[in-house]
Amino acid sequence: MLHNPLIPRRPESDRGWMRDAACLDEDPELFFPLTELINNPQVDHARAVCRRCAVLLHCRFWAIENGEDAGIWGATTAAQRRTIHRALLDEQGADTE
Ligand code: SF4
């Protein structure tokens, strides 16, 4: 299981952080654009909401740990999360060598 040491460890089932999500008042469709290209205005809008969210890092790493493969989570696209995931795995591999 991946974990960023900057984020306090919480059980996977603990979604309490979601209560503080900035997207609660937004249309959920905003976070699931048809394409996740960075220059897509919908992606930009969703990421702007995320950037003012108090739980951005919790959200981002929850999405990475849980393999969320669609939508904008923690101001990242699915492709960006896959890149972070691979980097964390590489880092963990380097730590055990
Ligand atoms: S970071 Fe974005 S998607 Fe995640 S809870 Fe906050 S506003 Fe919602």
Side-chain angles (χ1 to χ4, degrees), residues 3 8 10 14 18 25-26 31-34 36 49 51-52 55 59 72-73 76 82-83 85-86 88 92 95:
H3 180 62
R10 293 181 180 204
D14 181 358
M18 291 182 176
D25 297 328
E26 302 287 338
F31 295 85
F32 292 93
L34 292 178
E36 294 187 358
V49 173
R51 286 194 195 97
R52 62 177 170 76
V55 293
C59 175
I72 305 300
W73 294 76
T76 58
R82 284 192 293 274
T83 299
H85 186 238
R86 281 192 299 272
L88 289 171
Q92 284 180 347
D95 286 348

Side-chain angles (χ1 to χ4, degrees), residues 17-18 20-24 26 31 46-47 49-60 72-75:
W17 56 269
M18 291 182 176
D20 298 320
C23 52
L24 289 178
E26 302 287 338
F31 295 85
R47 295 175 81 207
V49 173
C50 293
R51 286 194 195 97
R52 62 177 170 76
C53 180
V55 293
L56 184 153
L57 290 178
H58 277 293
C59 175
R60 179 178 297 172
I72 305 300
W73 294 76

